[in-house]
Amino acid sequence: MASAPASEHDEPSAEWGWHGHFPRATKIMGWFSVVAMLGMLIGNHTGWNEDVYLVLTAAVMAGALIRWQIKDRTSWRS
């Protein structure tokens, strides 16, 4: 059983700067999820409960993605 590296200097990826983050792909998949949530409104369901939860979840996700984009754009100011 392998043990975890003691520090980031022991990791081979630390030498060339990769730390496992994919911000652009995360944003793209986030927007895809928002569109998929809103696409689920089209269907054969009869009640409005699921519509409310789908729209609220999509709105929260879109708000978080917009906030993230604004924060990235103005991060040098803070």
Side-chain angles (χ1 to χ4, degrees):
M1 181 159 77
S3 62
S7 71
E8 66 179 28
H9 301 292
D10 295 336
E11 298 178 20
S13 62
E15 294 174 6
W16 44 276
W18 183 74
H19 297 288
H21 299 285
F22 300 101
R24 185 169 183 214
T26 304
K27 289 177 187 177
I28 291 169
M29 290 309 298
W31 284 113
F32 176 78
S33 298
V34 169
V35 171
M37 290 262 191
L38 294 176
M40 287 184 214
L41 293 172
I42 302 168
N44 61 354
H45 54 275
T46 56
W48 289 92
N49 267 350
E50 54 272 0
D51 292 347
V52 171
Y53 285 107
L54 285 170
V55 170
L56 286 176
T57 304
V60 168
M61 289 173 63
L65 287 165
I66 291 169
R67 182 175 180 264
W68 187 9
Q69 183 66 32
I70 291 170
K71 183 182 172 207
D72 281 352
R73 192 174 292 171
T74 60
S75 64
W76 61 273
R77 296 180 193 167
S78 42

